[in-house]
Amino acid sequence: MFSHIDIKGNMNLIILSVLSKNDKYGYEISKEIYTLTEQRIRLKEGSLYPALHRLEKQALIEGYWVEQEPGKPNRKYYRITEKGRSMIELEKQEWISFIKIMGRIICEGESTGI
Amino acid sequence: MFSHIDIKGNMNLIILSVLSKNDKYGYEISKEIYTLTEQRIRLKEGSLYPALHRLEKQALIEGYWVEQEPGKPNRKYYRITEKGRSMIELEKQEWISFIKIMGRIICEGESTGI
DNA sequence: GCTATATACCTTGACATTCTATATACAAAG
DNA sequence: CTTTGTATATAGAATGTCAAGGTATATAGC
C-alpha cells in the first residue's frame, strides 16, 4: 500500500525531536518513529546506531547504560543535551525555510494546497 | 546574513520542476534556482551537471545542443519528457507526505505554524 | 530438538548524492 | 593582464543511508 519514504538527511532532526520529550534507547526510538509515522519511516539499525554515535560525539545527546533483569539485553538510553535542544531550534528553522522554498519551486503558479 | 541551505536529496524534483515551465540550459537552471530561492540555494556545477546526465539517462529529460554566435559557448538545452512529468507528480506527492510526517515528528504538541 | 520471532546492541561494505577543485575556452570589463 | 562572467565537463573526497551480517537471550509453536 504505502511505499517507504526517504528521510533525506533529516535523521538528526528526527532523532533529536523524539528524544526531546523523554529519554529513550535505540530500539525504542526506531519503534517510536515507526508508529508515529504510520509505518512509513523505518530507521534501520545500520542507520540508527551510527547516527546515535555521531550525535553523541557532537555532544548533542548523552548515552547511559541501564541494566535490565538478568537474561534481558541491557539498554543504552540517550538523553538530549542543552546543546542538542539549541540544535533542534536551529534545524527546525532551517527546515521551515526549506519547505517554504521548495513550495515556491514546485508549485509555481499551481494550487497544490501546500 | 542567510546561510546556505542543504537541498537534501531533492535535486531531481527541483530540476524537473524548473524545467516543467520551459526548456533551459544548465547554467540557466542554476541561475534560475539561485534567484528563485533568494540566493539561498546555489547548485554547484559539480552537482548540477552530473544530476542532468543522471536524469537524461533515466529518460526524465532530453538534452539538445543549440549553437550560439561564433565565440560564445554553445548551450545544451534540456526539455522534460512525459516520463519526467509523471515523475514530478509522483515526487511531489511523496514530498507532501514527507513534510506532513516531519511536521508531526518535530512539532508534537507545539504550535510552530507549520 | 528445531525454527521462528522478538528484544537489544553493534559493525562492515556498498552505493548514491553532493561538494570542492580543476579543466577548457572565449568575451568583456577593469 | 587579471578578474569576472558565460558555458560545459570530470575527478576526488566526504557524507549519509542502507543491506547484510554478527552477538546474545527469551519465548512460542511444531
Side-chain angles (χ1 to χ4, degrees), chain B residues 22-113:
Chain B
N22 41 50
D23 297 4
K24 287 189 176 59
Y25 55 97
Y27 198 75
E28 195 181 9
I29 293 171
S30 82
K31 277 189 302 181
E32 166 98 357
I33 290 169
Y34 191 61
T35 57
L36 204 64
T37 62
E38 283 151 16
Q39 294 78 50
R40 305 288 291 280
I41 297 180
R42 156 153 269 161
L43 294 190
K44 309 298 162 46
E45 299 94 321
S47 316
L48 177 67
Y49 291 109
L52 288 172
H53 300 160
R54 209 161 58 224
L55 291 170
E56 198 174 16
K57 207 170 283 178
Q58 295 170 55
L60 300 171
I61 61 175
E62 284 167 352
Y64 56 96
W65 286 93
V66 176
E67 284 191 40
Q68 303 298 306
E69 319 165 29
K72 306 265 182 178
N74 290 338
R75 294 168 176 173
K76 191 173 182 185
Y77 277 82
Y78 289 95
R79 79 167 65 87
I80 189 165
T81 63
E82 273 312 305
K83 194 177 165 194
R85 288 195 191 278
S86 309
M87 186 58 80
I88 286 186
E89 289 313 309
L90 205 72
E91 291 202 8
K92 217 191 254 186
Q93 289 309 314
E94 273 182 27
W95 172 250
I96 292 168
S97 296
F98 183 56
I99 64 176
K100 279 182 188 163
I101 285 173
M102 279 295 287
R104 208 179 309 150
I105 294 173
I106 69 180
C107 295
E108 268 295 293
E110 295 177 46
S111 61
T112 57

Side-chain angles (χ1 to χ4, degrees), chain B residues 3-14:
Chain B
S3 55
H4 165 256
I5 280 193
D6 192 4
I7 60 170
K8 294 178 172 139
N10 293 286
M11 178 117 75
N12 289 4
L13 181 52
I14 290 173

Side-chain angles (χ1 to χ4, degrees), chain A residues 59-72:
Chain A
L60 300 171
I61 61 175
E62 284 168 351
Y64 56 97
W65 285 94
V66 176
E67 284 190 40
Q68 304 298 304
E69 317 166 31
K72 306 266 183 180

